[in-house]
Amino acid sequence: MADEIKSLSDLESVAGEAAAVVEVAAPRVAVRDALGRSYATGKRKDAVARVWIKPGSGKVTVNGKEMGVYFARPVLQMILRQPFQIAGVEDQFDVMATVTGGGLSGQAGAVKHGISKALQLYDPSLRAALKAAGFLTRDSRVVERKKYGKPKARRSFQFSKR
């Protein structure tokens, strides 16, 4: 810095100049395609979900099947409904998702992540509630790889002294 600040008044003048330079962030705008849908990709473990949402009656389709058929366990269905409950928009959006990879639990988490991201793209005012619930953060936990000389990632063979 070429100019040295030697007094409090000099500091105030520099702070005033810096405050004038700060730009205000642009407000978030809704992102929708020509059909009025919002699209997002959700991920969890090895599962990747492509999710489209549009205003509707609350119908959820996963890989061409109804949610109750594809995710038969009630816990997995509850996971898919969580973003709508947190945002307070239950039965207001139709969801069409295609999901690949992983198991059912990871796929349900991926669809939930995709729904949350798509909701905040459709209506940016829902972002605060979804972010506070932690639904916009990708859960990065994945299965640890198997190491050589071991039967699993950390499990060792049974030890025997003799």
Side-chain angles (χ1 to χ4, degrees):
M1 209 166 141
D3 299 334
E4 290 188 26
I5 301 171
K6 296 182 179 176
S7 68
L8 189 57
S9 60
D10 292 342
L11 180 62
E12 289 173 353
S13 65
V14 171
E17 293 170 8
V21 174
V22 175
E23 296 179 16
V24 178
R28 295 184 181 271
V29 293
V31 180
R32 299 180 191 143
D33 64 6
L35 300 175
R37 303 175 301 182
S38 283
Y39 167 80
T41 304
K43 295 183 180 183
R44 172 78 175 99
K45 293 187 178 180
D46 279 338
V48 179
R50 299 182 301 159
V51 179
W52 290 266
I53 65 164
K54 64 180 180 178
S57 60
K59 181 180 165 192
V60 179
T61 308
V62 181
N63 288 352
K65 299 178 183 177
E66 291 293 321
M67 174 180 64
V69 175
Y70 194 84
F71 294 115
R73 286 187 278 175
V75 173
L76 300 179
Q77 295 175 22
M78 180 195 71
I79 288 173
L80 262 61
R81 282 192 288 269
Q82 283 178 336
F84 297 113
Q85 293 170 346
I86 293 293
V89 292
E90 293 179 87
D91 299 330
Q92 293 181 21
F93 289 96
D94 287 344
V95 177
M96 204 283 284
T98 57
V99 63
T100 58
L104 283 178
S105 177
Q107 288 185 350
V111 174
K112 171 182 152 183
H113 185 226
I115 289 172
S116 302
K117 286 171 63 175
L119 274 174
Q120 69 103 21
L121 286 173
Y122 189 88
D123 185 3
S125 66
L126 302 176
R127 180 177 169 82
L130 292 168
K131 189 161 178 64
F135 292 166
L136 297 178
T137 305
R138 193 248 199 250
D139 191 349
S140 61
R141 295 175 296 170
V142 293
V143 177
E144 189 175 347
R145 77 173 191 89
K146 181 193 175 300
K147 277 69 166 195
Y148 60 89
K150 293 194 174 270
K152 294 173 75 176
R154 296 186 180 213
R155 173 105 169 93
S156 295
F157 294 106
Q158 183 173 351
F159 174 75
S160 174
K161 198 168 192 178
R162 289 184 191 84

